[in-house]
Amino acid sequence: MADAPVPAAFAAHDHRQCAGTVLARAEALCATRGLRLTPVRRRTLEILLEAHRALGAYEVLERLKADGFGGAPPVAYRALEFLAALGLVHRIRRLNAFAACMHPGEAHQALFLICRSCNALAELPGAALRSALDAAAAATGFSVERASLEAVGLCPACRAAAA
Amino acid sequence: MADAPVPAAFAAHDHRQCAGTVLARAEALCATRGLRLTPVRRRTLEILLEAHRALGAYEVLERLKADGFGGAPPVAYRALEFLAALGLVHRIRRLNAFAACMHPGEAHQALFLICRSCNALAELPGAALRSALDAAAAATGFSVERASLEAVGLCPACRAAAA
DNA sequence: ACAGTGCATGTTATGGTATAACGCCAGAAA
DNA sequence: TTTCTGGCGTTATACCATAACATGCACTGT
C-alpha cells in the first residue's frame, strides 16, 4: 500500500522500455481478470504510451482512425474508459485529456503535476495525500470513492528558463 | 494560514446570511484592489449564491439572460473567470461547473467533496492538503501555482439512505 | 452443428462546454 | 476634445462527450 519508490517525473527515461513494461502489465492484468485487451484497446494504450503526454480523446481518435479503427468518438471514449477502469490510463480533468499510467498496479492514487509552460505532465504517487483527504472527508461523514489531485505550475526546466 | 474553523459542509445553515456576507466581502475585495464589481459580475455571484450549488456556465447564462444581461456564452464565462481569479468563485472541473466560495478570503485552497448520489457539494479547507502537495511537488523541482482537489463519493445522508 | 447469449465494435446524431475574434461604448486620462 | 482602457455584447466556431441503435463475433449449452 506504500507509494512506489520514485516516479520518473520530469527526468528523462527510456520510453521504449516503460511502454513495453506497461503493455506487458496490461496483458497480465486483463488475463487475470478475464477481460479482453482487444486490438482497439491495446492500440489506444500504445498511442498514449507513444505520445508520452496527455492526449485529448479526439487526438487518440485521429490516430486510431489512421490505424484503420473506427473513426467515431465513442470508439475512443470506450477504449479509454475501459483502460481507465483498470487503472492503466488516467483521466486528467483539468486538461480534458487522458494519459497512460506510468506505474500501473492495483488501485493507486495518482497526483498530477501539469506544467503550464511546456505542458509536460508528471504522475506522482498520491497515496499519502489521499489518506489525508480521506480523513478530512470522514470528519464530515463523507466517504471518498475517487479523487482528482491535479496541480498546475512550472516544471523544473521551465522554471530555470524563466529565471 | 491555518484552515478556517469548520465548514458548513453538509449541515444546514442560513443561506440568506452567508450570501449577504459573501457579497459584502466581494465589494470590499474589489474596492481594495481597484477592480470593478460590475452589474453582470455582481449578479453572477448572486446567482451562484442563490443556487447554493454548482452551476454550469450555461445555467448561469440562462439566469443572466432572464435578468436582461447579454445572452451569449462569453458573457457568463468572463464574469465567472473574473470572480474565480478573486477566489470568490471556484471552478469544479469534475463537474464542468462553478460554485460560489463559502468562505472567501485571501488565497486559500479549496477541497471539494461531491456526492455522486444527490450531487451535494461541500467545500472544505484544504490548506493542509495543499502544503503536503507543494512538498511532494517541490521534491521533483516542480512549483505549484494552482491545484484542484476534488473527491467523488457519498455524503452522510446518502450513505445512510443506502445502508 | 445450431441457436442463444453476451460483449465489443461501428455509426449516426446530438448535446454540452469553451473560446477566438471583432465591434461598440463609457469613463478615465492627457 | 482626443485618446486610451476595460468591460460588454455578438457571431461564429471549436472542442469535448454521450445516447441510441446496428452489426458481428466468440463462447456456451444442447
Side-chain angles (χ1 to χ4, degrees):
Chain A
M1 254 314 151
D3 286 346
V6 161
F10 298 106
H13 60 282
D14 184 343
H15 296 181
R16 183 91 53 177
Q17 189 193 335
C18 72
T21 304
V22 173
L23 274 172
R25 188 85 185 67
E27 299 273 17
L29 191 56
C30 286
T32 63
R33 297 208 196 171
L35 299 172
R36 295 161 53 197
L37 189 63
T38 62
V40 200
R41 291 168 177 173
R42 184 189 174 89
R43 186 68 196 120
T44 297
L45 181 53
E46 286 174 356
I47 286 168
L48 288 176
L49 287 166
E50 286 163 10
H52 203 260
R53 64 180 181 89
L55 294 181
Y58 279 65
E59 290 181 279
V60 171
L61 183 58
E62 280 304 305
R63 306 186 190 198
L64 283 175
K65 204 172 353 182
D67 291 343
F69 293 100
V75 172
Y77 279 100
R78 279 193 291 238
L80 290 167
E81 183 184 19
F82 173 87
L83 295 167
L86 268 68
L88 296 169
V89 157
H90 292 293
R91 184 169 196 160
I92 294 113
R93 318 220 58 127
R94 192 134 197 155
L95 301 175
N96 289 327
F98 301 82
C101 178
M102 287 301 119
H103 40 75
E106 289 299 322
H108 66 284
Q109 173 69 53
L111 160 61
F112 293 103
L113 305 180
I114 305 160
C115 180
R116 67 166 161 79
S117 173
C118 68
N119 294 313
L121 175 71
E123 178 187 348
L124 269 54
L129 221 49
R130 171 60 183 269
S131 297
L133 195 165
D134 286 349
T140 74
F142 187 96
S143 65
V144 177
E145 294 170 350
R146 294 185 307 284
S148 311
L149 306 176
E150 305 174 5
V152 174
L154 283 182
C155 73
C158 291
R159 267 175 84 186
Chain B
M1 253 315 152
D3 285 346
V6 161
F10 298 106
H13 60 283
D14 185 343
H15 296 182
R16 182 91 51 178
Q17 190 196 334
C18 71
T21 303
V22 173
L23 274 173
R25 189 85 183 69
E27 300 273 17
L29 191 56
C30 286
T32 64
R33 297 207 197 173
L35 298 173
R36 296 162 53 196
L37 189 62
T38 63
V40 198
R41 291 169 176 173
R42 185 188 173 89
R43 186 68 196 120
T44 298
L45 180 54
E46 285 175 357
I47 286 167
L48 287 176
L49 287 166
E50 285 164 8
H52 203 259
R53 65 180 180 88
L55 294 181
Y58 280 67
E59 289 181 280
V60 171
L61 183 58
E62 281 301 308
R63 305 187 192 198
L64 283 175
K65 203 172 354 182
D67 292 342
F69 293 100
V75 172
Y77 279 101
R78 281 193 289 237
L80 290 167
E81 183 185 17
F82 173 87
L83 295 167
L86 268 67
L88 296 168
V89 157
H90 292 293
R91 184 169 195 159
I92 295 113
R93 322 234 37 143
R94 194 135 196 152
L95 300 176
N96 290 326
F98 301 81
C101 178
M102 287 301 120
H103 40 74
E106 288 301 321
H108 66 284
Q109 174 68 53
L111 160 60
F112 292 104
L113 305 181
I114 304 160
C115 180
R116 66 166 162 78
S117 174
C118 68
N119 294 313
L121 175 71
E123 177 187 349
L124 269 55
L129 221 48
R130 171 60 182 268
S131 298
L133 194 166
D134 286 348
T140 74
F142 187 96
S143 65
V144 177
E145 293 170 351
R146 295 185 309 284
S148 312
L149 306 177
E150 305 173 4
V152 174
L154 283 182
C155 72
C158 291
R159 266 175 86 185

